[in-house]
Amino acid sequence: MSPLYSPHVQGWGSNRRLVGRARELGTLQVFVDAVATDGGSLLVVGEAGVGKTALLDATAAHAAELDIRVLHASGVEFEAEVSFAGLHQLVAPLAAELAALPPGSRRAIGVAVGLVEGAAPDRLALTNALLALLARAADQTALLVVVDDLQWLDRASATLFGSLARRLGGTGIGLLGVVRTGEGSVFEGVGLPELAIGPLDDDAATVLLTEAFPELPPRAARQVLTEAQGNPLALIELPAHMGPSAAEPPLGRTPVGRRLQLTFARRIDALPVECRDQLLLAALDGTGELFPSISVAELEPAERARLIRIHPVTRGIRFRHPLTRSAVVELSTGEERREAHRRLAEQHPVGSERHAWHLAEAASGPDEQTAQLLEESALKTKGRGDPVGAIELLLRAAELSPGPDEHHRRVMFATYLGADVTGDLTDPQALVTAHGTHGRTLVAAVAAAAYLVNSGGDIDTVHRLLLGALRNVGRPVAAWDALLGEIIYVLQSNCSFGSRAELAADYWAALDRLGPEVPEILVLLGNTYLEPARRAGPSLPLLDEAIAGIDEQADHADAVRLGIAAMYVDRMAGCRAALWRVVEHGRGGGAIAAAIKAFVLLGFDGVLSGDWDGALQLADEGLALTTRHHYRLLGGFLQYDRAVVAAARGDRETVRRLTDDLVAWAAPNRIGFVLQLAAHARAVDALGNGEFETAYRHAAEICSPETVPAHGPAALWALLDLVEAAVRAGLTAQARAHVADIRRSGVADLSPRLALVAAGAAGMTAPATSFREAFDTALATPGASRWPFAQARIRLAYAERLRRVRSTTEARHQLTNALDTFERLGAVPWAVRARAELRACGVPTVRPAAGPTTALTPQEREIAELAAAGLTNKQIGERLYLSPRTVSSHLYNLFPKLGIGSRAALRDALEHLPSTNT
């Protein structure tokens, strides 16, 4: 008998009368009525026993009356660690619909629930696939998804359902979730409409108690009403064990929830031993299915005692209340629970997560075989897109490890993975101290990684810890251990951030000592990211091949690492879509550090490719994450994006403030890369303001003593600044020496951008007889327009030289194109210089009134109107289901159509568009 219902009607799906819930039921019925025509989501929140599940049952019955299809899922307290268990419940009844999905969507769901092997789907792709599956299920009639006990839903499913819930408007799909107050759930932060279920008022409580126990003595009834405090489950269950002649119920002052469990415990104790055994299996199973080893006949006494329901057709089990399930488990002994888990493990395939999980719960002490199964399950779970679940499995594997080496290795691997999820890391010195001498090996390595990504700590300290760990690891003789690969990856990152020749040498020495089986990505990163000027060339075919397959990466961290490898050699265009998926995954609660790194990479790409507004928005969102999770170093990279854009746009105060902050913490920690980024922003700032000697001094901090130092790849972003500053400062000999160094380094062969820069720099220093050839070569570089700021600066330098040899017509052409780009980018100092050159060429610089030149598409018009209303790219993307990057690209394309150069001019430009363009 369910709470809230009149006690004389029972059954699995019978119509029953609700007591005292007219308002709540009315709200839920209105919601269901709206689902039939539109869709949407609603969260029901209330205390334990307040009747949430009963309201769900009534709502589902109302939906059935309207021919709305209903799907059920539920969180289970003892199954919350099983990855995507909730999704599996939802997908299981939709086998036919799943088979009819496009291959990509079918694979995404299949990988998540473990039906097929494959690369982990990113969160956005999985959400889209689930939405497509539910839409197919709702093809003929509306669909209502009912999810009970959200507080116990596994995190991967809860995060996925939370993303889904925000996208159901207009789909004919409704999601009705139920969560217990104060238990915590991903859903409580999603921002869904909520229906709060409170206690019954005194009149309704009296009616419910009277109907349930008409012969209960008045004194006992008064005490039950007082103690229950309007909680319907307490009103129904607390007096159920008393006879009609009882003087008063023996309640005392125990909390309501605990008293209810004691009541259920009395009923459980009265069951036959065989029934209690079967009930424990059902409680710990969590699937709602009856395995062959569970006897339906032996469970019938539990159904008669109103503890469970057995479905008359499917024979599936449903506990009448979660407190009942908890009481069953609490009353069992440790050995009984272990034996139940052993029996349940036998029902699942060897190698499955449930098999390993049940074996772990059955273990009474260290067990290396089970620990190994858990570790294998952890890697599979990580590959399916649930790193949180992987961490939990690794920690459990560590608990079961008999030896200290395996224990520490698994703990530290879990700790390292935690850096990509929560950012909740520990100071490395504390870890080393806590783990004694063993801490100088794997613990030290993971602690160094934590210290590096978390706080931007001292480069040399991290370097010593990592090298010490590698010395103690020894030479691997078989396939590389996953944690060893992470140590090498962090060493490479540390050497790159240090940007010193001796650090790079240590990295290559470490790889040489560890043999030929080094993972390919680690060699690739060393060649294209650590020392690209010296080593990248031969690796470019391998990198291009890897980027071509980036969508097949099984792990977001792998996609990020390919993006890092692509950064200095300008292959980011092939990585953008994958990196945006990492960002969306992070926004949905996925790997935080991977998402922040994706923000950094996309921000760097935006700065170079001229999407400055997009880069600033990425920096703002990314910095909020770095602040929240204390990723100081990654935050510094995002500060650079702000600083260099501010420098190009003439905002000197912002440049000063940001670069001073970068230097203040990077200098004492010897983080050379950050110091070089600060120097670059300062060089661009000084160049734009005519302080050419100062600009040269800052650029030389990056490119000296070698113009293109092998160990300082940030120089590849500052080559044009170095040569231009030298030329404009009158340092002709130095400028020509730098150009010769650039030519000798061969970096022009690494990417079209570097070919553009190398040829443009040569044009700036070439004699009067040959500068045209160099500049024309630069501007003819395939894809040169992908780097608009560099291209426009080269046009400006070309025009200045053309004007000096009195080729004013040619100069005007270059200047007009350069000025258009500078104005579109908002590069005010360079636009001022271009106008001055145009005036010197006899061209008036008052621009004609701006106006639209080409019609906008409907989507461009919608994006433009939202941007004109003040929405950010992120907000526009959320409203239109686009990525912020896509929104930025649309804005980038429509500005020229409207004849404007900034968002500020959108409103006026839109007023001039004809109404037929909507």
Side-chain angles (χ1 to χ4, degrees):
M1 176 174 53
S2 286
L4 296 188
Y5 291 115
S6 179
H8 57 272
V9 182
Q10 298 184 29
W12 184 271
S14 305
N15 294 321
R16 292 166 289 184
R17 183 173 69 84
L18 282 164
V19 175
R21 293 303 190 196
R23 178 189 66 82
E24 293 87 346
L25 185 58
T27 300
L28 290 166
Q29 288 177 343
V30 168
F31 169 72
V32 171
D33 294 342
V35 167
T37 57
D38 183 19
S41 301
L42 180 65
L43 191 62
V44 178
V45 182
E47 299 286 350
V50 82
K52 304 181 297 297
T53 301
L55 283 166
L56 245 65
D57 290 344
T59 304
H62 178 65
E65 291 172 359
L66 298 178
D67 291 326
I68 296 175
R69 185 177 182 181
V70 182
L71 294 176
H72 292 274
S74 179
V76 178
E77 182 179 6
F78 307 106
E79 202 180 42
E81 296 178 5
V82 180
S83 179
F84 288 114
L87 176 63
H88 191 279
Q89 291 181 52
L90 202 60
V91 170
L94 301 177
E97 290 84 355
L98 181 62
L101 287 181
S105 297
R106 189 168 64 248
R107 187 194 67 82
I109 293 175
V111 170
V113 299
L115 296 176
V116 297
E117 297 290 334
D122 63 85
R123 187 59 48 84
L124 182 60
L126 185 55
T127 303
N128 289 338
L130 180 56
L131 184 58
L133 177 65
L134 297 179
R136 186 168 290 276
D139 186 42
Q140 300 300 321
T141 181
L143 176 70
L144 177 64
V145 177
V146 179
V147 187
D148 202 356
D149 288 320
L150 285 168
Q151 72 277 0
W152 289 326
L153 202 64
D154 66 278
R155 182 182 176 87
S157 297
T159 302
L160 176 62
F161 291 175
S163 299
L164 176 75
R166 296 192 295 266
R167 302 177 59 181
L168 296 181
T171 63
I173 303 169
L175 189 147
L176 184 60
V178 179
V179 64
R180 185 182 295 181
T181 304
E183 292 288 340
S185 166
V186 171
F187 268 69
E188 292 184 85
V190 169
L192 299 181
E194 291 187 6
L195 173 62
I197 309 298
L200 295 176
D201 61 31
D202 291 344
D203 291 340
T206 300
V207 170
L208 182 58
L209 182 63
T210 301
E211 290 188 358
F213 301 98
E215 298 182 8
L216 191 66
R219 181 180 177 186
R222 286 195 301 273
Q223 186 167 353
V224 169
L225 288 168
T226 299
E227 296 288 343
Q229 298 179 348
N231 184 290
L233 184 63
L235 289 165
I236 292 295
E237 300 293 353
L238 290 179
H241 66 283
M242 298 184 303
S245 61
E248 59 180 322
L251 297 178
R253 296 190 175 276
T254 311
V256 171
R258 184 59 182 163
R259 288 202 301 273
L260 287 171
Q261 278 195 284
L262 291 173
T263 298
F264 295 138
R266 294 188 186 99
R267 296 186 205 167
I268 295 166
D269 278 338
L271 295 174
V273 173
E274 297 80 5
C275 181
R276 291 203 304 270
D277 290 343
Q278 301 299 313
L279 203 58
L280 180 59
L281 285 172
L284 294 177
D285 167 39
T287 66
E289 302 170 355
L290 287 176
F291 286 115
S293 61
I294 299 178
S295 168
V296 175
E298 290 178 352
L299 280 169
E300 288 176 353
E303 186 175 33
R304 289 194 297 271
R306 304 192 320 277
L307 295 170
I308 61 171
R309 295 180 187 141
I310 303 175
H311 195 284
V313 178
T314 67
R315 312 306 283 163
I317 288 179
R318 181 178 176 183
F319 282 85
R320 286 181 175 269
H321 195 275
L323 291 177
T324 309
R325 185 192 298 268
S326 299
V328 169
V329 176
E330 189 173 306
L331 286 172
S332 64
T333 66
E335 182 51 42
E336 287 171 340
R337 288 192 293 273
R338 287 190 290 273
E339 176 58 28
H341 280 296
R342 277 191 287 271
R343 292 177 61 182
L344 290 170
E346 294 171 357
Q347 306 303 321
H348 294 284
V350 175
S352 68
E353 183 181 345
R354 288 183 188 274
H355 175 78
W357 183 76
H358 281 300
L359 281 181
E361 294 300 300
S364 58
D367 184 335
E368 178 57 29
Q369 184 177 0
T370 300
Q372 181 61 41
L373 289 173
L374 280 175
E375 184 172 359
E376 292 171 1
S377 292
L379 295 176
K380 290 179 182 178
T381 298
K382 180 174 179 285
R384 286 161 52 201
D386 182 18
V388 173
I391 291 168
E392 292 169 350
L393 290 169
L394 279 169
L395 291 175
R396 181 67 177 122
E399 291 176 4
L400 294 176
S401 303
D405 289 348
E406 289 303 294
H407 170 82
H408 285 294
R409 184 181 63 79
R410 287 162 177 152
V411 167
M412 289 304 106
F413 194 19
T415 302
Y416 184 83
L417 290 181
D420 272 348
V421 180
T422 64
D424 182 17
L425 301 172
T426 307
D427 185 290
Q429 300 294 351
L431 279 175
V432 171
T433 301
H435 290 274
T437 57
H438 196 85
R440 289 191 285 276
T441 57
L442 296 176
V443 175
V446 178
Y451 197 28
L452 175 66
V453 299
N454 208 33
S455 63
D458 177 67
I459 288 290
D460 293 338
T461 299
V462 173
H463 195 68
R464 285 194 299 272
L465 287 169
L466 290 167
L467 290 181
L470 289 172
R471 280 193 295 271
N472 287 310
V473 165
R475 185 187 183 95
V477 294
W480 272 49
D481 179 88
L483 184 55
L484 179 57
E486 296 301 326
I487 296 172
I488 297 291
Y489 168 69
V490 175
L491 177 64
Q492 174 273 138
S493 299
N494 192 63
C495 295
S496 298
F497 298 152
S499 291
R500 300 200 305 272
E502 65 272 19
L503 299 179
D506 283 343
Y507 178 74
W508 295 113
L511 287 190
D512 289 342
R513 187 176 64 83
L514 291 170
E517 295 186 7
V518 178
E520 204 167 63
I521 184 62
L522 297 177
V523 178
L524 194 59
L525 283 166
N527 289 339
T528 64
Y529 180 66
L530 180 59
E531 294 189 300
R534 182 157 65 102
R535 296 176 179 265
S539 294
L540 293 181
L542 178 62
L543 176 62
D544 290 336
E545 181 182 353
I547 291 174
I550 193 171
D551 290 335
E552 300 302 318
Q553 290 297 327
D555 193 324
H556 290 300
D558 293 335
V560 166
R561 289 174 189 183
L562 270 180
I564 293 171
M567 187 170 75
Y568 289 125
V569 291
D570 303 306
R571 263 69 172 174
M572 285 293 295
C575 303
R576 287 171 187 159
L579 292 174
W580 272 113
R581 288 194 292 271
V582 177
V583 166
E584 294 297 336
H585 184 63
R587 286 171 174 165
I592 295 299
I596 295 174
K597 290 172 187 175
F599 275 114
V600 169
L601 291 169
L602 290 167
F604 286 160
D605 180 48
V607 168
L608 288 171
S609 64
D611 182 14
W612 291 354
D613 289 337
L616 292 178
Q617 290 179 4
L618 284 165
D620 289 344
E621 186 175 356
L623 280 166
L625 282 175
T626 61
T627 300
R628 187 179 315 140
H629 297 282
H630 312 292
Y631 284 98
R632 185 66 179 91
L633 181 60
L634 297 177
F637 302 158
L638 295 164
Q639 281 182 265
Y640 160 77
D641 293 342
R642 282 179 167 178
V644 77
V645 171
R649 288 178 166 173
D651 183 358
R652 308 204 73 181
E653 176 55 31
T654 296
V655 176
R656 184 198 61 76
R657 175 174 52 81
L658 290 172
T659 56
D660 284 354
D661 181 63
L662 289 175
V663 171
W665 65 267
N669 290 308
R670 304 195 71 188
I671 308 177
F673 179 60
V674 172
L675 295 174
Q676 291 164 10
L677 293 181
H680 184 220
R682 288 170 170 175
V684 174
D685 173 63
L687 262 176
N689 287 277
E691 300 169 359
F692 302 125
E693 291 184 2
T694 300
Y696 180 73
R697 186 175 69 252
H698 287 309
E701 293 177 32
I702 309 169
C703 302
S704 181
E706 301 169 72
T707 301
V708 193
H711 57 276
L716 297 179
W717 292 347
L719 297 178
L720 188 65
D721 308 292
L722 179 75
V723 175
E724 183 180 355
V727 169
R728 294 186 183 280
L731 304 173
T732 306
Q734 291 92 324
R736 288 175 176 165
H738 291 316
V739 170
D741 286 337
I742 293 170
R743 185 181 299 113
R744 187 163 48 249
S745 72
V747 295
D749 297 328
L750 299 183
S751 77
R753 184 188 68 82
L754 288 167
L756 167 71
V757 165
M764 292 178 182
T765 60
T769 57
S770 60
F771 75 86
R772 278 185 171 87
E773 180 182 355
F775 278 120
D776 288 341
T777 298
L779 297 175
T781 301
S785 60
R786 291 167 52 200
W787 325 106
F789 188 46
Q791 184 189 48
R793 287 169 59 183
I794 290 169
R795 287 187 185 278
L796 175 58
Y798 191 8
E800 290 170 336
R801 296 208 66 177
L802 287 170
R803 184 178 64 79
R804 287 200 293 272
V805 298
R806 302 186 184 281
S807 297
T808 55
T809 300
E810 294 177 76
R812 289 171 188 168
H813 170 71
Q814 300 298 340
L815 287 168
T816 300
N817 282 295
L819 180 58
D820 285 344
T821 298
F822 291 143
E823 289 184 333
R824 177 170 56 80
L825 294 174
V828 175
W830 274 268
V832 169
R833 188 179 300 160
R835 289 194 195 97
E837 284 294 320
L838 277 170
R839 286 194 298 272
C841 290
V843 178
T845 58
V846 177
R847 296 178 60 81
T853 59
T854 307
L856 303 183
T857 67
Q859 187 175 58
E860 286 175 336
R861 177 63 182 258
E862 188 172 15
I863 289 172
E865 289 176 344
L866 293 172
L871 275 68
T872 66
N873 287 5
K874 179 185 177 184
Q875 291 168 330
I876 295 170
E878 290 174 347
R879 184 168 297 192
L880 301 181
Y881 303 115
L882 301 171
S883 74
R885 180 71 178 188
T886 300
V887 173
S888 179
S889 296
H890 279 298
L891 288 171
Y892 179 86
N893 291 328
L894 65 84
F895 280 2
K897 292 183 179 183
L898 294 174
I900 61 175
S902 69
R903 296 169 83 103
L906 271 173
R907 187 181 298 277
D908 290 340
L910 290 172
E911 291 177 357
H912 293 89
L913 286 179
S915 59
T916 54
N917 198 43
T918 59

